[in-house]
Amino acid sequence: MTSAVLSPGRGVTRQAGRFAGFVTDVWVLTKRSLARIRREPETLAEVTIQPILFVLMFTYVFGGAIGIPGGGSYHEYLIGGMLGMGLAQTAPGTAVAVVTDMSTGLIDRFRSLPMSRAAVLSARTVADLLTQVIGAIVVAGVGLAIGWRVHTGPGDIIAAFALALLFGYAFTWVGACLGMVLRSPEAAQQSGFVIFLPLTFISSAFVPTQGMPGWLQPVAEWNPMSALAAACRHLFGNPNPAAAVHAWPMQHPQLAVIAWSVAMLVVFAPLAVRLYRRKALG
Amino acid sequence: MGEAPAIEAEGVVKNFGRTTALAGLDLTVPRGTVYGLLGPNGAGKTTAVRTFATLLRPDGGRARVLGSDVVTHAARVRSVIGLTGQYAALDEYLSARANLVMIGRLSRLTAAEAGRCAGDLLERFGLTDAAGRAVKTYSGGMRRRLDLAASLIGSPEVLFLDEPTTGLDPRSRAVMWDIIRALTAGGTTLLLTTQYLEEADQLAARIAVIDGGRVIAEGTPGELKSAVGGERIAVDLAAGGDVEAAITALKPFSAGPAVASEDGLRLEAPVVLSDGLTTTVVRALDAAGVQVTEVSIRRASLDDVFLSLTGHSAEGKVAA
Ligand SMILES: Nc1ncnc2c1ncn2[C@@H]1O[C@H](COP(=O)(O)OP(=O)(O)OP(=O)(O)O)[C@@H](O)[C@H]1O
Ligand SMILES: [Mg+2]
């Protein structure tokens, strides 16, 4: 039998169709990323242990010192912001995975196969979206445990999670771009501190923008992270002091989240794939 | 396109910044043969293979695989080639079987075909028992075998192997050689790069010697060896022996220039074999007042080919 396997050009059925091929490639490579998680579940710490620690810290350490303009419980205020942070902060992980992948011979093999060129990065973002779903569930779970409650209907709740995941997914493409540009996994890891931590902290994710210095307020108000926090708080019926802020994204947070996410996707997804193709040809 | 050679390169140039990795590479690999690409570190072997496998875009010249241009018809080329790079191209966290199935699916096999192909290859390469283990637990030799297996999925017509045995112990190398020989029995065209002259000699029907990104000699191993003189005479001088006098004394017998070793204690020259040659040479050296410890005749190796073509040994170019 063995010679049959090795004889060249044996009539293997190659599936037709570019799009069908792309979908298969993405699915196969997504399973590859998920298999890695199955073997090393600790890689999920980013979307499980970290958000839990953040929620507990902010609730019990800083929370008491943070006043909510217009009143309301900090426990209820926090979760809308935490959701955005929990999801966006997976982007450095995406970057690390992409840098690591690009530095191995495996990518050479992928490139020598008749597979779709966009599949490698697309599969990475899909796998990371699935881990974000876990992250969202963890944030909601720990939220419920500390006394966060939702005061709206199922439609609003679904809309809030959908917006958060759209937002998180857009960030995975930012991570993919960083992964294509940066040279080492360490540098990719650093992007978490250099880019994503300020992005979260200079926003209304943890503290209302009203308490920030005047020059910083516009930055925080136009920060996409603030838009997501405001949108989630509004949709959950939680305290949302941003409703009193006049900046456009704070007045239309859902629209702002969609606009920011689509803009990020439109810019970063094609850019990442282009960088991949270019690197592919050395 | 039925008659196109397996691989054709015409004046392929590839630069990396200011380094010229390929400086006008010309190569024709007939179908169904094992072709050896032999050269020292930095000769451009990997660059050549990566260009043929559509991973690099050449800066000049053209390359075709089975008649398809590697730049303009890259997709077509990718559907007929298999590549085992210099460094293992496997997912460390997946099992061997999962790796092969993944590559199979990405090669556009159906799930059933990919599974069957993976099973067959694991058996063929003696990896069935370890098939469920993550690749990161594999030894270097197992990894190399699995890597080669992965490049066979989809039954490629042209296979590239970049230094398939570098870093393997002699036993694993012998296993690899057997596998490679069995492969070629099936009619696959194989382009093999190596730094080991012995390996090219053992496996390849034809060899291109490359150095500085260019082919400096091409032919069957036999042709290359006879080009440098089929037989070589080696003269070991006694300590303090007069090298110049020895070279002069050797001249009437040699078919080419004599080369002295770095310490000046060994001379080698191609010779045309005749009866009593060794004795005659010893007498001639004696008459010239050169003290020798040994005079011997041996068949030229590919190492000699390399040395006489490039002026440096194949194992490294320390003495530039
Ligand atoms: N990506 C790259 N960037 C810069 N220089 C490169 C790159 N790839 C190869 N080179 C250079 O091109 C030349 C040829 O390299 P190549 O890897 O093709 O040699 P090789 O014959 O495969 O050597 P080895 O036996 O060490 O694998 C070398 O001088 C190398 O430094
Ligand atoms: Mg090499």
Side-chain angles (χ1 to χ4, degrees):
Chain A
M1 45 102 307
T2 53
S3 62
V5 180
L6 301 172
S7 62
R10 193 171 44 97
V12 288
T13 21
R14 302 199 187 268
Q15 295 163 350
R18 270 178 79 117
F19 186 70
F22 171 75
V23 172
T24 309
D25 292 344
V26 171
W27 169 234
V28 168
L29 291 172
T30 303
K31 278 201 299 193
R32 163 191 172 229
S33 302
L34 298 182
R36 159 105 201 241
I37 295 175
R38 216 170 28 240
R39 279 195 198 261
E40 296 194 337
E42 60 270 29
T43 53
L44 282 182
E46 226 163 46
V47 290
T48 51
I49 298 171
Q50 272 191 47
I52 293 175
L53 287 179
F54 266 97
V55 168
L56 295 180
M57 236 160 47
F58 272 93
T59 313
Y60 297 113
V61 181
F62 304 120
I66 300 171
I68 313 280
S73 129
Y74 186 74
H75 296 207
E76 297 227 319
Y77 172 83
L78 177 65
I79 298 306
M82 197 56 230
L83 213 45
M85 171 180 199
L87 303 195
Q89 65 146 13
T90 62
T94 309
V96 171
V98 169
V99 174
T100 312
D101 257 2
M102 293 307 293
S103 67
T104 64
L106 192 57
I107 291 292
D108 272 0
R109 164 144 292 143
F110 289 159
R111 287 186 197 136
S112 71
L113 294 175
M115 58 179 281
S116 153
R117 309 263 97 181
V120 171
L121 294 179
S122 303
R124 168 52 57 192
T125 62
V126 170
D128 288 339
L129 176 63
L130 296 179
T131 67
Q132 288 177 346
V133 171
I134 297 175
I137 293 170
V138 169
V139 170
V142 67
L144 290 173
I146 59 151
W148 165 71
R149 292 294 176 265
V150 174
H151 309 283
T152 50
D156 287 330
I157 299 172
I158 290 169
F161 280 102
L163 280 178
L165 288 170
L166 170 68
F167 182 81
Y169 184 66
F171 269 96
T172 64
W173 280 103
V174 178
C177 268
L178 282 171
M180 290 308 304
V181 173
L182 299 173
R183 276 163 228 267
S184 71
E186 291 74 22
Q189 195 69 59
Q190 286 298 321
S191 70
F193 294 98
V194 177
I195 300 173
F196 295 98
L197 215 56
L199 191 78
T200 309
F201 280 95
I202 307 173
S203 81
S204 66
F206 298 126
V207 293
T209 55
Q210 283 92 332
M212 297 180 185
W215 58 270
L216 199 56
Q217 282 186 15
V219 179
E221 287 157 5
W222 283 85
N223 183 337
M225 200 69 82
S226 301
L228 181 70
C232 289
R233 285 169 189 142
H234 173 76
L235 288 167
F236 289 143
N238 293 146
N240 181 24
V245 175
H246 289 299
W248 182 84
M250 297 297 95
Q251 288 302 308
H252 309 88
Q254 285 110 300
L255 253 181
V257 170
I258 293 172
W260 275 117
S261 305
V262 170
M264 284 195 284
L265 283 172
V266 166
V267 172
F268 290 107
L271 181 63
V273 172
R274 255 190 63 181
L275 289 170
Y276 178 86
R277 279 176 206 246
R278 233 192 29 210
K279 219 165 185 167
L281 276 172
Chain B
M1 89 163 233
E3 289 316 304
I7 303 165
E8 258 179 306
E10 290 166 19
V12 174
V13 175
K14 179 68 197 179
N15 301 312
F16 294 105
R18 282 156 66 198
T19 314
T20 298
L22 296 179
L25 185 82
D26 295 302
L27 203 67
T28 304
V29 178
R31 290 186 187 217
T33 55
V34 182
Y35 198 95
L37 214 52
L38 177 65
N41 287 132
K45 304 181 295 294
T46 299
T47 308
V49 164
R50 288 171 55 86
T51 306
F52 300 149
T54 78
L55 302 180
L56 291 174
R57 188 193 289 272
D59 297 319
R62 333 174 24 141
R64 285 183 289 266
V65 173
L66 295 178
S68 303
D69 190 285
V70 298
V71 176
T72 56
H73 294 90
R76 204 183 299 161
V77 172
R78 284 183 204 118
S79 67
V80 296
I81 61 165
L83 167 69
T84 300
Q86 190 166 355
Y87 306 101
L90 300 162
D91 189 313
E92 297 279 304
Y93 296 92
L94 294 185
S95 70
R97 188 183 301 277
N99 262 289
L100 295 183
V101 169
M102 172 177 76
I103 305 293
R105 297 287 278 138
L106 296 175
S107 306
R108 299 279 188 269
L109 300 186
T110 63
E113 278 173 335
R116 190 163 40 77
C117 204
D120 288 350
L121 285 165
L122 287 166
E123 198 180 311
R124 168 85 180 79
F125 285 74
L127 293 168
T128 306
D129 291 340
R133 262 162 57 190
V135 171
K136 64 176 179 173
T137 68
Y138 271 37
S139 73
M142 292 166 83
R143 222 173 268 245
R144 270 274 167 217
R145 271 183 282 154
L146 180 62
D147 205 29
L148 179 53
S151 64
L152 295 177
I153 287 180
S155 310
E157 290 173 69
V158 179
L159 189 60
F160 300 101
L161 302 184
D162 195 0
E163 301 197 17
T165 66
T166 300
L168 296 189
D169 65 25
R171 208 182 59 87
S172 306
R173 174 168 304 166
V175 170
M176 205 65 171
W177 283 4
D178 285 343
I179 290 173
I180 291 169
R181 288 198 189 97
L183 269 181
T184 56
T188 309
T189 306
L190 208 152
L191 181 72
L192 169 95
T193 83
T194 181
Q195 302 181 37
Y196 302 113
L197 304 153
E198 189 199 356
E199 185 161 282
D201 200 3
Q202 285 278 332
L203 299 173
R206 293 187 77 80
I207 296 171
V209 182
I210 69 169
D211 192 40
R214 229 184 236 110
V215 175
I216 55 171
E218 205 268 351
T220 64
E223 282 168 4
L224 290 177
K225 284 181 205 165
S226 55
V228 227
E231 249 69 32
R232 324 252 318 160
I233 191 158
V235 177
D236 290 311
L237 303 176
D242 185 346
V243 186
E244 293 309 318
I247 290 178
T248 314
L250 266 181
K251 207 156 227 153
F253 308 99
S254 53
V259 184
S261 67
E262 238 159 88
D263 57 7
L265 285 179
R266 190 185 176 90
L267 275 184
E268 280 204 12
V271 287
V272 180
L273 211 53
S274 60
D275 282 343
L277 180 66
T278 323
T279 325
T280 323
V281 169
V282 171
R283 286 210 191 102
L285 288 166
D286 201 32
V290 180
Q291 296 220 323
V292 300
T293 56
E294 196 180 329
V295 173
S296 54
I297 307 261
R298 61 177 180 83
R299 264 193 70 74
S301 70
L302 272 171
D303 220 340
D304 302 317
V305 176
F306 208 86
L307 198 61
S308 67
L309 287 171
T310 66
H312 53 79
S313 132
E315 310 298 339
K317 20 164 86 175
V318 217

